Amino acid sequence: MRKTLTVLMALGALTVGINTPAEDIYIDVPGHVANCLRCHDGGDDHPVLEIFASPHAVLADPHTRFAKDGCAACHGESIDHSRLPAPAGGEPAEIAFRGPHRSDTETLNKTCMNCHAGADMMHWHGSDHDFKDMACVDCHTIHTRSDPAMDHRGQIKNCTSCHTEQHAEMHRAFAHPVREGQVTCTDCHNPHGGSGPSDLKTMTVNENCYSCHAEKRGPFLWEHQPVREDCTQCHQPHGSVHRDLLVQRTPFLCQQCHMGQFHPSAALSGTGLPSDEIPSGSRSLIGRDCMSCHVQVHGSNHPSGVGQTR
């Protein structure tokens, strides 16, 4: 991406030109912003000028903080820095988001929260990421046309750079279609904190799951108690080596609870598979095993479905 700056001394301002294969954007920048851009003119490694194509640098609305204060809206007045910048032996910016003079996390987050304080941010204080002393800029990039954290691919890269265990689970044989682009991390989680466990967007795990799997919600005439309690008792949401994202292969998963004398009471194992040598082996180990008969495992409304068979 090629960027150009043209100084218009008669107007006391800069005309910023952002040239891309798709469009040309030219913006007359006021003097208080032009003063910063004469040094911070960006470049391919640090595309500062792209901020003018983002929501963070709206000059057309005089009520926005950037229109009124320019760069100082986020970086502070930085008067000493403007007189003699740090690379020349002077002072760093009053609020620096990156680099060797980066400000402390509390200062950085307070700057962002001056605008982004409501909606999804209401649970930030006390959240897991807050306790880990994370700053907003650890995930978000501001001086860019499109924040990678708000993009599907960039979001996954951001999240999995820390959550490596979940990254590995996503690559298992059975997983939610995150890599295919049909599901994102923020479809289930609110990284800024949530009222439920694991920063979920809802109060409970089940409510989160029901937002997509509504057919499992019920109410059912015959309920399966573990289903009503917590989906993750049987399912591993980020990915599993077993079908249907199960935490363990059936029938072994089922037999952790169902070992009554009214039904097969012997613990099943792979040695009980029917074969030429063992023609009388257990058929509960083949096909869909338990679910060959108990097809409505999440619950049934059939009058004779007490065993979730109909």
Side-chain angles (χ1 to χ4, degrees):
M1 183 179 296
R2 182 171 58 86
K3 306 166 188 67
T4 61
L5 276 176
T6 304
V7 182
L8 303 179
M9 299 302 295
L11 299 177
L14 290 176
T15 293
V16 176
I18 305 175
N19 310 124
T20 71
E23 59 183 335
D24 294 334
I25 301 174
Y26 295 96
I27 303 171
D28 289 334
V29 179
H32 60 288
V33 178
N35 187 47
C36 298
L37 292 181
R38 286 188 173 94
C39 292
H40 300 280
D41 58 354
D44 291 334
D45 295 332
H46 190 48
V48 173
L49 301 183
E50 282 196 16
I51 195 172
F52 293 103
S54 78
H56 284 96
V58 180
L59 290 167
D61 185 355
H63 300 289
T64 61
R65 294 193 65 201
F66 191 88
K68 292 188 293 184
D69 302 324
C71 304
C74 294
H75 293 281
E77 293 185 5
S78 304
I79 297 174
D80 292 334
H81 173 70
S82 63
R83 291 171 179 164
L84 186 62
E91 296 295 322
E94 187 176 321
I95 302 175
F97 289 84
R98 301 186 188 279
H101 303 289
R102 170 171 159 157
S103 303
D104 62 273
T105 300
E106 183 179 357
T107 300
L108 297 181
N109 288 349
K110 183 179 179 180
T111 302
C112 298
M113 297 281 276
N114 285 334
C115 294
H116 303 278
D120 290 343
M121 293 296 299
M122 65 183 299
H123 293 290
W124 170 256
H125 295 293
S127 68
D128 188 48
H129 287 143
D130 179 32
F131 270 118
K132 290 180 179 177
D133 200 36
M134 289 185 64
C136 303
V137 292
D138 290 334
C139 297
H140 295 281
T141 304
I142 305 305
H143 293 117
T144 183
R145 177 184 301 263
S146 177
D147 183 1
M150 306 298 289
D151 172 73
H152 168 68
R153 296 296 178 188
Q155 182 185 115
I156 295 175
K157 183 178 180 181
N158 261 2
C159 296
T160 56
S161 63
C162 292
H163 300 281
T164 54
E165 181 180 348
Q166 286 74 20
H167 188 210
E169 291 173 350
M170 290 176 189
H171 288 77
R172 290 176 175 174
F174 303 92
H176 278 108
V178 177
R179 291 179 295 144
E180 292 78 6
Q182 299 179 35
V183 179
T184 64
C185 303
T186 53
D187 286 337
C188 297
H189 301 277
N190 180 359
H192 304 111
S195 55
S198 303
D199 287 340
L200 292 175
K201 299 179 74 171
T202 60
M203 292 290 290
T204 65
V205 173
N206 283 22
E207 285 299 317
N208 226 56
C209 299
Y210 294 153
S211 63
C212 291
H213 304 281
E215 74 281 3
K216 307 296 192 295
R217 180 188 295 273
F220 295 110
L221 178 62
W222 306 105
E223 292 185 339
H224 194 182
Q225 279 71 30
V227 176
R228 297 294 299 167
E229 184 177 342
D230 191 333
C231 301
T232 57
Q233 291 200 50
C234 295
H235 298 282
Q236 195 164 347
H238 294 102
S240 173
V241 296
H242 307 294
R243 59 178 169 83
D244 300 325
L245 280 72
L246 294 175
V247 297
Q248 188 177 355
R249 182 194 159 187
T250 54
F252 314 125
L253 174 63
C254 303
Q255 287 202 318
Q256 291 180 3
C257 297
H258 301 284
M259 284 292 289
Q261 296 182 358
F262 52 85
H263 208 38
S265 58
L268 298 171
S269 71
T271 59
L273 284 169
S275 63
D276 293 338
E277 292 76 18
I278 316 175
S280 60
S282 174
R283 295 191 177 274
S284 296
L285 286 167
I286 60 177
R288 289 181 62 83
D289 41 73
C290 300
M291 286 179 282
S292 296
C293 297
H294 304 280
V295 292
Q296 300 295 329
V297 68
H298 292 96
S300 173
N301 281 321
H302 195 278
S304 61
V306 62
Q308 276 81 40
T309 56
R310 300 184 184 183

